[in-house]
Amino acid sequence: MLIRKPADIRPSEITSEANYLNRRDFMRAGAIAGGSLLAAPGLSAVIPDGRYARLADVAKGPYSTDETPNSFEDISTYNNFYEFGLGKSDPAARAENFRTRPWTIEVTGHAEKTGSYDFDAFMKPFDLEERIYRMRCVEAWSMVIPWVGVSLAEVIKYFQPTSKAQYVAFETLNDPEQMPGLRGRSLDWPYREGLTIAEASNPLPILAVGIYGKVIPNQNGAPIRLVVPWKYGFKGIKSIVKIHFSETRPKTSWNMAAPGEYGFYANVNPTVDHPRWSQARERRIGTGIFAERQATLMFNGYGEQVAHLYKDLDLRRNY
Ligand code: MTE
């Protein structure tokens, strides 16, 4: 992963929130008029409130932090989404016309229920919740993001993995026509990630479809992306098209690219440094480039919920 200073983002590359919302408002209103969003109760849900598309029926979920969330502007203009380029402002600039409808999610492998699901049909059984989580990138910056999503544990339960399923693997869309970054060899595409079934069944992870109560911006992984708050941000795979229940540990993108730097587990751990930088502290985006870096917490502060998952694991070796 490249580390760029916020100063590297040219102001001209940043879409103002008002412009951004106006454009989305227009696009969503069109989609709703076309009827494509009316099918799923979860996203029935997606209604324009006059100014922009707001998700309805969002319950307050558990585990939210009371830390101040980053601004919508920060969250939607400082991104990692290499399919749209390596720069932090590339995804916002280049994913504007990314097509998130129609969208199909394929569920395969060791589960009682498998198949190809239209996004709305996929979402239908699940309830939307707000979860305000810290996100710690392996590059040593962090944000607080008010996500809207569905519990991954509920999704896993719904598809009924068999006893053979030890892992769940995810893949991002691989469409070079829409994703200019795929022409580069920064990663072995498609972007892939995975969790153990025990991790995926923990109540913390979500599949996110919104931010700040609104439909998730394309650059943040529309229409649906993974959020695992105790792990480094690269585990949070965006724009998911495949979910596979696997007996063996799946290959994951950053681990394949640099196995000595990025492990499969990727739990936030201030005591295990990246070979090229310390993980002891982090820069909270939005606090200004001169603000003091804050201490990084073990499991990103979610140890109470997840430390038991790793009690028999040497976290120094299984980084
Ligand atoms: N998913 C895909 N498909 N491609 C990516 O490049 N980057 C990851 C993760 N998910 C990435 C991805 C990294 S390194 C981080 S830190 C987070 O997305 C950033 O999420 P955000 O842009 O919504 O803050």
Side-chain angles (χ1 to χ4, degrees):
M1 261 158 274
L2 298 177
I3 302 192
R4 292 175 89 212
K5 301 185 292 297
D8 294 344
I9 304 171
R10 291 193 302 274
S12 61
E13 290 177 342
I14 299 173
T15 312
S16 80
E17 182 175 0
N19 279 342
Y20 169 77
L21 294 174
N22 282 340
R23 257 200 310 277
R24 283 206 80 86
D25 187 17
F26 177 70
M27 286 157 57
R28 289 293 153 200
I32 287 163
S36 64
L37 295 179
L38 296 178
L43 301 180
S44 58
V46 184
I47 46 169
D49 68 355
R51 207 166 70 84
Y52 51 83
R54 181 162 285 281
L55 296 158
D57 304 331
V58 180
K60 290 240 174 278
Y63 311 114
S64 285
T65 173
D66 54 12
E67 286 163 84
T68 308
N70 280 83
S71 68
F72 186 81
E73 186 80 19
D74 282 344
I75 296 168
S76 61
T77 59
Y78 188 86
N79 299 103
N80 277 331
F81 200 167
Y82 278 21
E83 287 86 336
F84 292 97
L86 306 183
K88 292 285 183 278
S89 56
D90 290 339
R94 298 181 184 163
E96 195 187 320
N97 297 318
F98 181 54
R99 290 189 300 277
T100 58
R101 292 292 192 292
W103 190 270
T104 306
I105 300 171
E106 239 184 279
V107 182
T108 58
H110 298 291
E112 298 297 339
K113 278 189 219 162
T114 53
S116 237
Y117 298 82
D118 173 68
F119 176 66
D120 295 324
F122 179 90
M123 292 298 293
K124 203 169 176 175
F126 311 114
D127 295 327
L128 294 179
E129 292 177 22
E130 182 188 66
R131 303 272 188 112
I132 307 172
Y133 284 157
R134 291 178 287 278
M135 182 176 79
R136 169 61 158 81
C137 178
V138 76
E139 297 165 337
W141 53 265
S142 64
M143 291 203 205
V144 175
I145 304 182
W147 301 106
V148 175
V150 297
S151 155
L152 180 62
E154 293 298 319
V155 174
I156 299 293
K157 206 162 43 170
Y158 178 82
F159 287 101
Q160 301 171 30
T162 67
S163 56
K164 275 196 170 164
Q166 300 296 312
Y167 296 89
V168 56
F170 303 88
E171 271 184 38
T172 295
L173 182 73
N174 187 10
D175 181 357
E177 267 181 33
Q178 293 199 78
M179 297 168 142
L182 295 182
R183 285 178 229 129
R185 305 257 156 163
S186 50
L187 289 171
D188 182 0
W189 311 108
Y191 195 99
R192 278 161 272 181
E193 259 309 334
L195 299 170
T196 66
I197 284 284
E199 291 175 327
S201 303
N202 181 278
L204 283 180
I206 56 168
L207 291 175
V209 298
I211 289 174
Y212 267 117
K214 296 174 255 178
V215 171
I216 191 169
N218 292 344
Q219 57 269 36
N220 292 94
I224 186 162
R225 61 87 59 85
L226 179 65
V227 176
V228 192
W230 73 92
K231 292 178 180 281
Y232 289 120
F234 69 84
K235 296 296 285 185
I237 180 170
K238 297 179 169 182
S239 305
I240 295 168
V241 291
K242 277 192 191 159
I243 300 178
H244 178 72
F245 291 97
S246 160
E247 196 171 2
T248 52
R249 184 185 288 184
K251 290 184 170 166
T252 55
S253 290
W254 280 102
N255 181 241
M256 284 190 288
E261 302 188 1
Y262 310 106
F264 173 79
Y265 286 97
N267 294 316
V268 174
N269 188 341
T271 70
V272 176
D273 286 339
H274 186 282
R276 290 182 281 130
W277 60 84
S278 164
Q279 294 292 25
R281 304 186 80 77
E282 66 200 51
R283 179 169 64 85
R284 180 62 56 86
I285 300 298
T287 55
I289 49 172
F290 301 113
E292 201 183 330
R293 290 174 167 237
Q294 62 190 69
T296 288
L297 303 176
M298 186 67 205
F299 297 119
N300 203 22
Y302 297 98
E304 201 182 313
Q305 285 81 29
V306 301
H308 67 275
L309 294 170
Y310 310 103
K311 62 182 185 330
D312 299 324
L313 210 63
D314 176 351
L315 294 174
R316 215 153 250 295
R317 292 181 51 200
N318 298 279
Y319 51 86

